């Protein structure tokens, strides 16, 4: 009898051993019987393994899974790795006796060679080549917001980039706000792309293209398309602004192009104005308010009205009725509910707005 | 002759068959059929449901020859990564030859379940006309058909009980397919057309529901207005599973009051989904249902903010399955953890796919869930960031994971606190969760994580890898260690020829291997194909300017290999080379 072994899902375990090639059978027995000096991965590195080094590793194995010896790290010469024992708490169970370490203790030189080789061959780690663009984690411990660097103080930078064989970077200690100098060795096949997509609040200087990595995040296209359409629809639901992003155009007199902001990412006028100020600062350099103060202060909520007369710029918005209103009069929630677009007007043009704004808010109340 | 065989000879086949009837899992039945010849024969003649995980591993003739009396067929076509646009259109996975063969050979098909296959209107029509007892059609992530095909099913399948369309790309011709259900059709138990884009005739729908008194599951598409939902629910308060259409109305309107009233009567509804278009202020109408819900899917409802979600969830104490968007936030997940003590499966999808907004969940939400929901065994979690410490905690709290899929929105993000790779976190998961069958990893990962997976993930059947690892060792750890591995899919990772060719026999123990944007060369693929005649090694070439075949040393962009009994498939398009 020769039942069809394959093709129908879930053929039983006994076939596994039948089908396995002799090579893998060897590997199984090696795995169980003992480690060391068995080079079933076929890497030449192993031949230079010092057996004493391996046995000392095995001793530590009893206590905890000390895999420092086997971990692949890209370290700058002389750099120290932070103590990792605490992270192994769960892994230090007695179970480890039956599991054998894989007998690979490549030498440091070996690692460097390996990494360089893969660097040259154009390692496909597209994301790692543009370190700067990565998303800034929310964790508050992370003051610098760049995962390349340990933000906790001045310890020498240790790039634990075990995985990033594609990078060969020069690192500097990063003071807050300063841009890191990253030298990217190998141009990845996929350029900076996704980074810009991956982090909404990225203000780093790496200019990322808008192209997204195909198939990331891994979501069915059906779901992607559906969510895209429903978000659009929800904005019109019930006459209220929908949830999700609420983008409005922002124009500025004299600027060659407009911008768009998502009003939902702010919760106060102050946040909005500082964001706009950053966005449009390139257009207002060198211009000052009446008291010689830089124009950025004109944008703040309280000063808006104070500096109305004679200020260079004011922030206005077009509401649902099509009227141009002064920003700052109504509560924030009401504002984002009615704001259709923003305009940074010249102060002189905006003078006529104030009385109307006051009138309108009176009518509303 | 051994004692066992003596005993077995005195067992009439009918008894064996009766015993085998109690075996419903195909794995059990496969095991049973390997015991001896007579068991094999009894089993094969009595198997009613056939499951084929890769439609190209066999052909219909072989299946029919072995199982002459089957009534239910499940077929899967394209590789999993086709869901994420990694497989070109026209790659394959056509159901037509199967339906033709089944029809020709007189199989009395009653149930057909297809996943990631290409289904044409012609196929649907042939299906509807060839099998008079046809009862149940389930299509998941399929494409190639239109509402005309559905009309054929509705018109011709007289005893149709189940029409379940999940996330298919359907060409909606805005025809009246729903009206094609004849007046004599009263047998519907389950109707799901949530994925259709077009409108259906509301009156026809209401009449259909009214005459199908056994209807238990109904999922509407977003074009069905709230008023219609209300009228339907009046007719069918016995529903177990409801997918709303549009949930938009003026909360002060008459129809909304009516809806509230009728929803209060729907005490059997255990599963709720839909809400593609939703006015959050209408949500209170479903509060009465919440207490009984075991399954809730709000993952298509970006219109519901965290606060409203929380108000809803806080009432769902019996929830076992929750699919939600990350708009719920970590705070919302803490509420889930505090409320849903029966939770077994959680999926948190990203709401913001362009990476501009701030809505996202982090490791905190996951830890909270793991602490609060002891029965959790399946998770799919898209998050902004993750830490090893969090994963280690999750592993300690929930050793029962069967499926663990973590997807960081930045695929190579390291531990958010320590900057380390996430190797140890995933290592803890595989070490703790001894029953883990499916794993997807993401974040910054080195070969180390694969060492852990190879060592500990003994039950692992499916592994998805993206942008991870440093060298061939990573892949080798997995291939050598995971004895039960069935599906391995890898993208954008530095695994190459050495790993691919080290243990070629392994691939016959697996269903399939996908590798894209790795370091595998054309020559290695050829070598593998030569050594293993029972594998189809397909190289997908998307370089239109290329003439002829690549050189051996060229990297292959996409390779998909699978075991098969029937050799190279004949329907491969020109850009797919079977080596």
């Amino acid at each position: 009898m020769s039942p069809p072994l394959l093709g129908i899902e879930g053929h039983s375990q006994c076939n596994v051993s039948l089908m396995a090639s002799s090579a893998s059978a060897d590997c199984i027995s090696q795995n169980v019987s003992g480690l060391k000096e068995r080079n079933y991965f076929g890497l030449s590195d192993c031949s230079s393994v010092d057996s004493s080094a391996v046995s000392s590793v095995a001793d530590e194995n009893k206590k905890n899974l000390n895999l420092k010896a086997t971990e692949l790290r890209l370290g700058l010469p002389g750099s120290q790795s932070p103590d990792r024992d605490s992270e192994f708490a769960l892994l230090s169970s007695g179970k480890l006796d039956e599991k054998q370490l894989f007998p690979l203790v490549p030498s440091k030189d070996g690692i460097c060679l390996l990494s360089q080789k893969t660097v040259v061959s154009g390692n496909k780690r597209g994301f790692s080549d543009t370190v700067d663009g990565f998303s800034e984690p929310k964790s508050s411990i992370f003051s610098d917001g760049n995962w390349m660097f340990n933000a906790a103080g001045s310890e020498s930078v240790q790039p634990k980039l075990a995985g990033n064989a594609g990078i060969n970077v020069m690192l500097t200690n990063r003071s807050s706000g300063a841009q890191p100098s990253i030298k990217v060795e190998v141009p990845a096949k996929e350029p900076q792309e996704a980074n810009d997509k991956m982090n909404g609040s990225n203000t780093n200087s790496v200019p990322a293209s808008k192209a997204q990595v195909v198939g990331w995040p891994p979501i069915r296209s059906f779901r992607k398309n559906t969510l895209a359409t429903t978000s659009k629809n929800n904005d019109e639901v019930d006459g209220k602004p929908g949830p999700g992003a609420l983008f409005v155009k922002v124009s500025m007199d004299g600027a060659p192009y407009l911008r768009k902001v998502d009003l939902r990412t702010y919760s106060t006028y102050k946040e909005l104005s500082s964001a706009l100020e950053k966005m449009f600062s390139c257009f207002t350099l060198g211009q000052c308010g009446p008291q010689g103060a830089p124009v950025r202060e004109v944008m703040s909520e309280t000063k808006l009205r104070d500096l109305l007369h004679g200020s260079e710029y004011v922030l206005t918005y077009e509401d649902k009725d099509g009227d141009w209103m002064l920003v700052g009069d109504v509560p924030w929630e009401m504002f984002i509910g009615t704001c259709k677009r923003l305009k940074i007007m010249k102060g002189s043009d905006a003078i006529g707005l104030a009385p109307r704004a006051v009138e309108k808010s009176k009518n509303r109340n | 002759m051994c004692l066992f065989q003596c005993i077995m000879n005195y067992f009439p086949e009918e008894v064996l068959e009766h015993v085998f009837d109690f075996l419903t899992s195909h794995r059990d039945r496969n095991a049973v059929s390997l015991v001896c010849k007579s068991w094999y024969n009894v089993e094969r003649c009595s198997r009613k449901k056939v499951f084929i995980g890769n439609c190209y591993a066999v052909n219909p003739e072989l299946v029919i020859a072995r199982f002459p009396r089957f009534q239910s067929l499940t077929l899967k076509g394209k590789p999993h990564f086709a869901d994420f646009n990694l497989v070109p259109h026209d790659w394959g996975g056509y159901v037509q030859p199967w339906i033709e063969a089944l029809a020709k050979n007189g199989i009395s098909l009653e149930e057909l379940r297809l996943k990631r296959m290409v289904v044409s209107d012609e196929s649907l029509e042939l299906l509807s006309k060839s099998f008079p007892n046809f009862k149940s059609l389930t299509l998941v992530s399929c494409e190639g058909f239109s509402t005309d095909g559905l009309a054929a099913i509705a018109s011709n399948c007289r005893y149709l009980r189940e029409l379940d369309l999940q996330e298919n790309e359907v060409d909606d011709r805005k025809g009246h397919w729903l009206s094609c259900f004849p007046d004599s059709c009263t047998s519907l138990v389950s109707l799901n057309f949530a994925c259709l884009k077009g409108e259906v005739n509301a009156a026809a729908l209401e009449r259909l529901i009214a005459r199908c008194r056994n209807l238990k599951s109904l999922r509407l598409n977003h074009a069905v207005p709230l008023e219609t939902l209300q009228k339907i629910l009046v007719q069918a308060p016995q529903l177990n599973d409801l997918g709303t259409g549009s949930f938009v109305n003026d909360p002060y309107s008459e129809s909304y009051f009516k809806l509230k009233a009728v929803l209060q009567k729907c005490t059997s509804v255990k599963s709720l989904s839909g809400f593609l278009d939703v006015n959050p202020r209408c949500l209170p109408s479903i509060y009465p249902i919440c207490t009984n819900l075991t399954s809730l899917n709000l993952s298509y409802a970006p219109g519901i903010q965290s606060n409203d979600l929380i108000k809803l969830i806080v009432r769902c104490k019996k929830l076992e399955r929750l699919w939600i968007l990350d708009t719920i936030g970590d705070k919302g997940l803490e509420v889930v953890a505090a409320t849903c003590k029966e939770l077994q499966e959680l999926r948190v999808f990203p709401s913001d796919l362009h990476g501009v907004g701030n809505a996202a969940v982090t490791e905190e939400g996951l830890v909270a869930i793991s602490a609060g929901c002891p029965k959790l065994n399946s998770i799919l979690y898209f998050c902004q960031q993750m830490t090893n410490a969090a994963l280690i905690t999750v592993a300690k709290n929930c050793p029962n994971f069967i499926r663990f899929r973590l997807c960081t929105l930045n695929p190579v993000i390291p531990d958010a606190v320590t900057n380390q790779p996430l190797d140890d976190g995933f290592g803890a998961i595989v070490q703790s969760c001894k029953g883990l069958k499916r794993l997807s990893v993401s974040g910054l990962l080195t070969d180390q994580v694969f060492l852990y997976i190879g060592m500990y993930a003994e039950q692992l059947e499916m592994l998805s890898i993206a942008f991870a690892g440093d060298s061939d060792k990573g892949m080798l750890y997995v291939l050598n260690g995971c004895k039960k591995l069935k599906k391995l899919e890898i993208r954008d990772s530095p695994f190459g020829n050495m790993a691919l060719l080290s243990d070629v026999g392994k691939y016959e123990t697996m269903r399939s291997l996908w590798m894209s944007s790795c370091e595998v060369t054309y020559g290695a693929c050829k070598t593998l194909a030569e050594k293993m005649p029972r594998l189809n090694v397909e190289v997908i070439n998307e370089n239109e300017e290329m003439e002829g075949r690549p050189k051996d040393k060229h990297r292959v962009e996409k390779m998909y290999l699978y075991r098969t009994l029937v050799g190279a498939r004949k329907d491969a398009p020109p850009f797919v080379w079977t080596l």
Side-chain angles (χ1 to χ4, degrees):
Chain A
M1 166 191 99
S2 56
L5 296 172
L6 306 172
I8 307 298
E9 170 63 2
H11 71 86
S12 70
Q13 286 301 328
C14 65
N15 288 329
V16 174
S17 50
L18 288 175
M19 299 314 305
S21 71
S22 56
S24 63
D26 284 344
C27 290
I28 296 169
S29 57
Q30 285 183 359
N31 201 5
V32 168
S33 56
L35 38 70
K36 311 163 196 143
E37 287 145 347
R38 300 294 200 139
N39 182 16
Y40 59 85
F41 286 132
L43 289 180
S44 55
D45 286 341
C46 283
S47 55
S48 61
V49 169
D50 185 24
S51 57
S52 60
V54 175
S55 56
S56 65
V57 167
D59 286 341
E60 288 177 84
N61 194 19
K62 298 253 170 17
K63 301 248 174 61
N64 59 348
L65 189 58
N66 182 353
L67 290 164
K68 273 192 197 156
T70 59
E71 77 186 343
L72 304 171
R73 292 188 292 150
L74 265 186
L76 295 177
S79 57
Q80 298 287 327
S81 71
D83 193 342
R84 295 176 66 184
D85 280 340
S86 55
E87 294 176 36
F88 287 96
L90 184 70
L91 301 173
S92 59
S93 65
K95 186 130 188 315
L96 289 171
D97 286 345
E98 54 196 89
K99 305 284 184 182
Q100 303 298 340
L101 261 187
F102 289 71
L104 299 166
V105 188
S107 66
K108 198 158 172 210
D109 290 335
I111 297 174
C112 294
L113 276 175
L114 186 71
S115 63
Q116 271 172 15
K117 242 193 285 188
T118 48
V119 159
V120 165
S121 64
N123 191 17
K124 287 281 321 201
R125 292 297 302 277
F127 279 96
S128 44
D129 289 315
T130 49
V131 165
D132 244 337
F134 287 134
S135 60
E136 308 189 358
K138 274 163 59 170
S139 170
S140 56
I141 300 173
F142 227 65
S143 54
D144 274 60
N146 186 315
W147 63 267
M148 276 289 291
F149 304 92
N150 196 333
S154 60
E155 64 182 334
S156 67
V157 179
Q158 158 58 14
K160 288 284 292 182
L161 299 176
N164 293 347
I167 294 186
N168 198 335
V169 297
M170 322 270 258
L171 301 167
T172 59
N173 257 336
R174 187 166 158 201
S175 54
S176 62
Q179 296 298 329
S181 59
I182 304 264
K183 194 168 93 178
V184 175
E185 284 274 296
V186 177
K189 190 168 171 214
E190 292 158 327
Q192 288 81 335
E193 3 62 1
N195 301 313
D196 192 42
K197 292 301 173 188
M198 291 305 164
N199 47 67
S201 50
N202 176 30
T203 51
N204 287 333
S205 62
V206 172
S209 74
K210 291 295 175 184
Q212 267 184 303
V213 175
V214 173
W216 198 270
I219 302 176
R220 282 189 183 157
S221 18
F222 177 85
R223 179 177 287 279
K224 265 195 216 173
N225 298 339
T226 310
L227 277 184
T229 20
T230 38
S231 299
K232 236 189 337 180
N233 291 342
N234 277 329
D235 279 346
E236 294 133 21
V237 161
D238 199 34
K240 280 178 177 272
L246 184 60
F247 282 97
V248 294
K249 289 186 192 172
V250 187
S251 58
M252 175 163 166
D253 289 345
Y257 49 81
L258 280 64
R259 301 296 302 266
K260 260 199 165 165
V261 289
D262 177 7
L263 291 180
R264 288 213 181 275
T265 56
Y266 314 111
S267 47
T268 62
Y269 284 116
K270 201 151 180 237
E271 282 177 33
L272 173 65
S273 56
S274 53
L276 286 177
E277 147 203 340
K278 276 192 204 134
M279 230 185 228
F280 286 89
S281 55
C282 48
F283 302 121
T284 58
L285 277 173
Q287 301 186 35
C288 290
Q291 290 111 13
V295 82
R296 53 194 65 191
E297 290 178 17
V298 174
M299 302 298 192
S300 77
E301 180 181 354
T302 49
K303 299 210 172 155
L304 261 173
R305 284 173 251 186
D306 297 346
L307 299 174
L308 189 54
H309 301 284
S311 349
E312 278 296 325
Y313 292 98
V314 289
L315 186 58
T316 62
Y317 71 101
E318 182 183 12
D319 72 355
K320 280 197 153 66
D321 304 329
D323 298 320
W324 286 95
M325 318 285 295
L326 197 65
V327 165
D329 290 332
V330 297
W332 175 259
E333 287 299 329
M334 196 188 294
F335 165 68
I336 60 174
T338 55
C339 172
K340 284 278 159 255
R341 51 187 299 179
L342 289 163
K343 188 165 178 181
I344 305 173
M345 280 183 179
K346 275 195 167 42
S348 41
D349 296 338
I351 284 180
L353 285 183
R356 272 183 90 192
V358 170
E359 239 178 70
K360 245 200 165 152
S361 54
K362 275 209 194 116
N363 289 342
R364 286 232 167 81
N365 298 342
Chain B
M1 202 157 49
C2 75
L3 179 65
F4 173 76
Q5 278 178 303
C6 289
I7 295 175
M8 282 297 108
N9 282 344
Y10 288 114
F11 256 23
E13 289 193 350
E14 294 82 9
V15 175
L16 274 180
E17 204 176 303
H18 184 64
V19 172
F20 293 166
D21 274 348
F22 290 98
L23 298 174
T24 46
S25 123
H26 55 268
R27 289 185 195 199
D28 288 341
R29 294 196 75 114
N30 289 344
V32 141
S33 56
L34 291 173
V35 168
C36 64
K37 249 192 204 161
S38 71
W39 281 35
Y40 173 79
N41 277 321
V42 171
E43 193 284 316
R44 77 178 187 88
C45 290
S46 61
R47 190 179 301 210
K48 295 272 185 307
K49 298 191 182 200
V50 173
F51 171 88
I52 295 177
N54 175 4
C55 64
Y56 289 121
V58 286
N59 61 29
E61 287 74 28
L62 275 178
V63 177
I64 295 169
R66 181 170 173 189
F67 304 113
R69 303 215 192 100
F70 76 92
Q71 294 171 337
S72 161
L73 179 63
T74 303
L75 275 174
K76 295 193 184 179
K78 300 187 195 180
H80 175 232
F81 275 174
D83 280 348
F84 318 131
N85 292 338
L86 289 180
V87 177
H89 200 53
D90 296 345
W91 172 86
Y94 306 102
V95 76
Q96 178 71 7
W98 288 86
I99 300 184
E100 281 173 358
L102 263 53
K104 203 167 84 168
N105 285 282
I107 298 287
S108 59
L109 193 67
E110 292 187 11
E111 178 183 56
L112 185 63
R113 306 165 65 91
L114 304 176
K115 187 168 184 180
R116 279 191 286 271
M117 294 202 67
V118 177
V119 181
S120 63
D121 285 344
E122 185 198 347
S123 305
L124 288 175
E125 187 163 349
L126 183 60
L127 177 69
S128 70
K129 292 187 173 153
S130 309
F131 308 105
N133 278 339
F134 191 73
K135 296 197 171 65
S136 166
L137 179 63
T138 304
L139 301 177
V140 180
S141 283
C142 296
E143 48 156 1
F145 62 104
S146 76
T147 44
D148 292 347
L150 297 178
I153 297 283
S155 312
N156 302 324
C157 298
R158 294 171 57 200
Y159 303 112
L160 193 68
R161 296 228 291 254
E162 190 175 337
L163 179 60
D164 188 0
L165 307 170
Q166 298 176 30
E167 299 190 338
N168 303 290
E169 299 286 349
V170 184
D171 180 15
D172 200 319
R173 305 239 170 107
K174 316 251 191 301
H176 299 286
W177 68 275
L178 199 76
S179 316
C180 292
F181 281 107
D183 289 341
S184 55
C185 172
T186 56
S187 48
L188 273 183
V189 171
S190 167
L191 178 62
N192 173 6
F193 59 93
C195 64
L196 295 185
K197 307 265 187 328
E199 292 179 5
V200 292
N201 184 324
L205 178 62
E206 290 167 38
R207 284 197 304 273
L208 178 65
I209 307 295
R211 61 181 185 270
C212 294
R213 308 307 312 159
N214 292 326
L215 194 68
K216 285 274 180 282
S217 165
L218 177 64
R219 297 193 186 188
L220 310 169
N221 73 349
H222 76 100
V224 177
L226 203 64
E227 295 82 11
T228 309
L229 174 66
Q230 182 259 319
K231 291 189 199 144
I232 288 173
L233 288 177
V234 168
Q235 296 287 347
Q238 79 282 4
L239 285 177
N240 282 344
D241 169 23
L242 175 64
T244 67
S246 159
F247 212 76
V248 172
N249 208 329
D250 178 355
Y252 299 108
S253 69
E254 170 98 19
S255 58
Y256 181 72
F257 281 130
K258 282 199 218 161
L259 177 75
K260 266 173 70 167
V262 76
L263 278 171
Q264 280 187 323
K265 298 213 187 79
C266 293
T267 49
S268 331
V269 171
K270 294 230 167 0
S271 164
L272 189 61
S273 60
F275 301 100
L276 259 69
D277 283 333
V278 54
N279 176 357
R281 294 191 299 163
C282 291
L283 284 177
S285 59
I286 63 171
Y287 289 169
I289 303 185
C290 289
T291 37
N292 292 328
L293 282 184
T294 55
S295 168
L296 179 59
N297 181 355
L298 295 173
S299 64
Y300 281 103
I304 310 180
Q305 300 265 46
S306 180
N307 295 334
D308 293 316
L309 283 174
I310 290 177
K311 281 192 225 157
L312 203 60
I313 286 180
V314 108
R315 296 172 148 84
C316 301
K317 296 198 171 26
K318 292 193 191 160
L319 219 51
E320 293 171 16
R321 189 161 83 136
L322 177 62
W323 291 23
I324 202 140
L325 288 171
D326 61 6
T327 42
I328 192 172
D330 288 332
K331 286 277 174 296
L333 288 176
E334 283 165 28
V335 174
V336 173
T339 313
C340 308
K341 295 303 180 187
E342 304 295 319
L343 196 66
Q344 294 175 25
E345 175 181 335
L346 175 67
R347 297 197 190 187
V348 181
F349 292 95
S351 57
D352 178 9
L353 298 171
H354 303 289
V356 196
N358 292 329
V361 292
T362 71
E363 75 274 12
E364 292 175 13
L366 184 60
V367 170
I369 292 283
S370 73
C373 305
K375 299 190 182 175
L376 197 64
N377 60 40
S378 170
I379 189 153
L380 169 63
Y381 197 75
F382 286 82
C383 56
Q384 184 88 289
Q385 64 184 51
M386 188 47 58
T387 66
N388 282 310
L391 285 173
I392 291 172
T393 307
V394 168
K396 276 195 210 138
N397 291 338
C398 291
N400 297 323
F401 276 121
I402 298 176
R403 283 178 290 275
F404 189 88
R405 294 195 279 166
L406 188 80
C407 180
T408 54
L409 293 174
N410 174 346
V412 290
I413 195 171
D415 182 314
V417 169
T418 65
N419 265 338
Q420 305 299 319
L422 289 174
D423 300 333
D424 296 335
F426 282 106
I429 295 282
V430 290
Q431 199 199 16
S432 168
C433 304
K434 312 236 188 293
L436 194 68
K437 288 194 179 162
R438 181 169 181 181
L439 177 65
S440 297
V441 296
S442 63
L444 182 64
L445 296 167
T446 72
D447 285 346
Q448 188 84 306
V449 70
F450 301 116
L451 173 63
Y452 292 142
I453 292 174
M455 281 175 95
Y456 295 115
E458 292 174 346
Q459 302 297 321
L460 196 66
E461 293 177 6
M462 181 170 176
L463 178 61
S464 306
I465 300 170
F467 302 98
D470 310 312
S471 72
D472 286 331
K473 285 186 213 150
M475 185 166 163
L476 282 173
Y477 292 145
V478 171
L479 290 176
N480 287 333
C482 299
K483 298 298 170 208
K484 296 203 179 170
L485 195 63
K486 293 226 152 355
K487 288 193 283 185
L488 179 58
E489 47 186 22
I490 306 173
R491 62 166 292 187
D492 293 274
S493 301
F495 305 137
N497 298 339
M498 200 268 281
L500 182 70
L501 296 175
S502 69
D503 180 5
V504 293
K506 171 83 174 171
Y507 305 125
E508 274 191 5
T509 71
M510 294 166 52
R511 187 190 295 174
S512 65
L513 167 68
W514 167 279
M515 291 181 78
S516 61
S517 304
C518 297
E519 302 290 328
V520 171
T521 67
Y522 188 74
C525 294
K526 279 200 311 195
T527 308
L528 179 56
E530 272 166 47
K531 284 191 184 170
M532 303 295 298
R534 282 198 287 200
L535 294 181
N536 276 354
V537 180
E538 294 188 5
V539 169
I540 299 172
N541 170 48
E542 288 175 302
N543 183 351
E544 282 159 7
E545 290 124 22
M546 174 175 299
E547 291 172 13
R549 297 294 175 99
K551 301 226 177 22
D552 281 2
K553 63 176 189 219
H554 282 164
R555 265 189 338 115
V556 149
E557 193 51 42
K558 290 179 183 170
M559 180 206 71
Y560 179 56
L561 67 82
Y562 52 90
R563 64 185 180 191
T564 178
L565 291 176
V566 294
R569 58 187 173 110
K570 300 183 183 45
D571 61 3
F575 55 81
V576 172
W577 303 322
T578 306
L579 304 179

